[in-house]
Amino acid sequence: MDSNDILDDKDNGPEVQINFPSSVMSRIEEMMGGTEQFDSAEFDAVAYINRVFPTEQSLSGVESAASRCEFHLAGVEHDIRRLVRAQAEQREAGQNALLEAQRCIAELALQVADINKKAERSESMVREITSEIKQLDCAKSNLTAAITALNHLHMLVGGVDKLRTMTRNRQYKEIVLPMQAIMEVLHHFECYREIRELSSLRDQVHAIRTDLASQIRADFKDAFTTGSKSTISHRTLSEACGVVDILEPKVKQELLKWFINVQLQEYQHLFSPEQECAWISFVERRYAWLKRHLLAFEESLGNVFPHTWKLSEAITQQFCKMTKTELSNIMASRRNEVDVKLLLYAIQKTYNFELLLHKRFIGKIFN
């Protein structure tokens, strides 16, 4: 192998910078006796040859030395060509890998762009579907509200006439549930109160409630003031109490106030200040009257009024307030007749009466 082959291979190969392995460099240095001296600017080839072949006899080994050099040079050239080819192959493989990577990146970019487009189309479809669903939900809500309003309106229109008829016939038991339902319907229509027809129906319902309150008060007065001539039964009065509970609170308050005063009229008459038994020496008679009256009331009228009204307690409470006022007034007017013994007697009887009330009404309005 000559130097021309090496040059041809070098010219035909790619122009790359070759980095020889350390083994090749060591062989070159071994053959050349080190490369630093050849790189020096002061290198003298004649002096070097004279140093390698110092005598005439040493020239006989020139051919063998040249052969060894050529052999080593051929090995080095072979290694160089192999390394050049390997470097070229690696470069080509690297370029191919780079091109493949670029191709994959381009394909990936196309796929990502396609996915983005599909995602945008999907999002647009979802928005359209969601918008349609929202419209359907809104329409459903409006339709449901309209149907509910129509049902309530039908109930209200029919209920007003029904309430008026039942009020006239004193069907108090049957009035309670329809009245509660109609009041709930009116509450539902509170936001439509500016509508003339609804306002008219509302006024009619309030008028019926006012008529009911007046009629029930009249029934109670008729039952407890005319005596045996009354045509109002206790059952009717008991059912009327259920209606009073769903009317305005002041209706119940006024009715109870009137009824309690009626129950205590006899007491006021028997123990009026001009009566002798009104004096504190007869205070026990006052308490005895209340006990008899409560027993008679609960026996005859206990089933008329609801237990939740606690009417016995209310009568007793009003009795105590009235007794306190009357005793204070009469003791102030007859101050000279009050002595310690009489006062202690009245206090003892009153204390015993308070203990009785505590046992009878413990946990109720007297707490």
Side-chain angles (χ1 to χ4, degrees):
M1 179 180 296
D2 55 12
S3 60
N4 292 330
D5 295 335
I6 298 175
L7 293 175
D8 292 340
D9 291 339
K10 184 176 181 181
D11 293 338
N12 294 333
E15 295 181 359
V16 295
Q17 183 178 359
I18 301 174
N19 296 321
F20 296 112
S22 59
S23 59
V24 176
M25 295 301 297
S26 63
R27 290 182 63 186
I28 293 174
E29 292 177 358
E30 180 183 354
M31 181 185 68
M32 300 301 294
T35 59
E36 293 181 357
Q37 57 182 337
F38 300 114
D39 295 335
S40 176
E42 299 177 354
F43 175 71
D44 187 357
V46 175
Y48 176 76
I49 292 173
N50 290 331
R51 188 171 62 253
V52 174
F53 302 101
T55 62
E56 186 177 352
Q57 288 78 11
S58 61
L59 292 176
S60 60
V62 170
E63 293 181 359
S64 60
S67 298
R68 288 195 304 272
C69 288
E70 289 177 357
F71 177 77
H72 289 299
L73 181 60
V76 171
E77 290 175 348
H78 176 72
D79 290 339
I80 291 173
R81 286 195 300 272
R82 181 174 57 80
L83 292 173
V84 169
R85 291 192 186 96
Q87 190 74 12
E89 291 175 356
Q90 291 179 359
R91 180 180 180 183
E92 183 178 359
Q95 290 178 346
N96 292 336
L98 179 60
L99 293 175
E100 181 66 18
Q102 291 175 347
R103 186 184 63 80
C104 292
I105 291 173
E107 291 181 358
L108 182 61
L110 291 176
Q111 292 178 1
V112 171
D114 185 58
I115 291 173
N116 288 334
K117 291 180 180 179
K118 291 181 179 179
E120 291 176 357
R121 289 196 297 269
S122 299
E123 184 178 359
S124 177
M125 292 175 61
V126 169
R127 282 198 298 267
E128 293 177 359
I129 295 173
T130 304
S131 176
E132 293 176 356
I133 292 175
K134 289 181 179 179
Q135 292 178 358
L136 290 175
D137 287 342
C138 182
K140 179 183 177 181
S141 300
N142 293 336
L143 182 60
T144 302
I147 293 174
T148 303
L150 288 175
N151 289 335
H152 287 170
L153 184 60
H154 176 72
M155 183 188 303
L156 183 60
V157 173
V160 169
D161 294 334
K162 187 176 180 180
L163 283 179
R164 190 177 290 111
T165 302
M166 288 189 294
T167 300
R168 186 168 52 251
N169 296 333
R170 287 183 169 79
Q171 295 175 281
Y172 296 134
K173 184 177 181 180
E174 291 78 8
I175 285 178
V176 176
L177 292 180
M179 178 65 76
Q180 290 176 330
I182 287 177
M183 294 308 297
E184 291 180 2
V185 171
L186 287 177
H187 179 72
H188 175 77
F189 284 131
E190 187 67 25
C191 55
Y192 306 111
R193 62 186 310 162
E194 300 300 329
I195 300 177
R196 183 179 59 185
E197 289 77 7
L198 289 177
S199 179
S200 175
L201 289 172
R202 182 185 301 276
D203 293 340
Q204 293 181 43
V205 172
H206 287 314
I208 292 173
R209 290 170 65 87
T210 302
D211 294 342
L212 265 175
S214 300
Q215 181 173 297
I216 290 173
R217 281 194 294 265
D219 290 344
F220 271 89
K221 290 180 180 180
D222 182 56
F224 292 105
T225 57
T226 59
S228 59
K229 297 180 181 180
S230 175
T231 58
I232 307 299
S233 65
H234 286 181
R235 179 179 178 181
T236 301
L237 295 178
S238 178
E239 294 174 353
C241 290
V243 178
V244 171
D245 280 332
I246 63 173
L247 297 177
E248 285 72 14
K250 67 176 184 179
V251 176
K252 177 181 176 181
Q253 295 171 2
E254 293 175 357
L255 179 62
L256 289 180
K257 182 179 180 180
W258 170 84
F259 181 78
I260 292 172
N261 289 334
V262 170
Q263 294 298 305
L264 295 177
Q265 281 180 354
E266 180 184 357
Y267 172 72
Q268 289 178 306
H269 176 72
L270 291 176
F271 296 93
S272 59
E274 60 272 9
Q275 299 293 332
E276 182 62 26
C277 61
W279 184 235
I280 59 175
S281 60
F282 303 101
V283 69
E284 188 176 8
R285 294 185 182 182
R286 293 175 179 267
Y287 306 146
W289 179 91
L290 178 64
K291 288 186 284 186
R292 291 194 304 271
H293 184 78
L294 288 180
L295 290 175
F297 168 77
E298 292 176 355
E299 182 179 354
S300 60
L301 301 176
N303 295 329
V304 173
F305 299 93
H307 294 291
T308 56
W309 286 21
K310 300 179 181 179
L311 200 53
S312 296
E313 292 89 325
I315 293 173
T316 303
Q317 188 178 42
Q318 183 61 27
F319 169 85
C320 292
K321 291 179 179 179
M322 189 179 297
T323 301
K324 175 185 176 181
T325 301
E326 292 181 355
L327 288 178
S328 299
N329 293 336
I330 197 171
M331 289 174 64
S333 62
R334 300 170 63 177
R335 184 185 302 271
N336 296 332
E337 301 179 30
V338 178
D339 56 25
V340 175
K341 183 178 180 180
L342 181 60
L343 191 59
L344 289 176
Y345 169 79
I347 292 174
Q348 183 63 44
K349 295 300 180 181
T350 302
Y351 176 73
N352 294 337
F353 178 67
E354 289 178 351
L355 290 179
L356 178 64
L357 294 182
H358 181 74
K359 293 179 181 179
R360 174 66 176 80
F361 301 120
I362 185 170
K364 300 180 181 178
I365 64 174
F366 283 92
N367 276 356

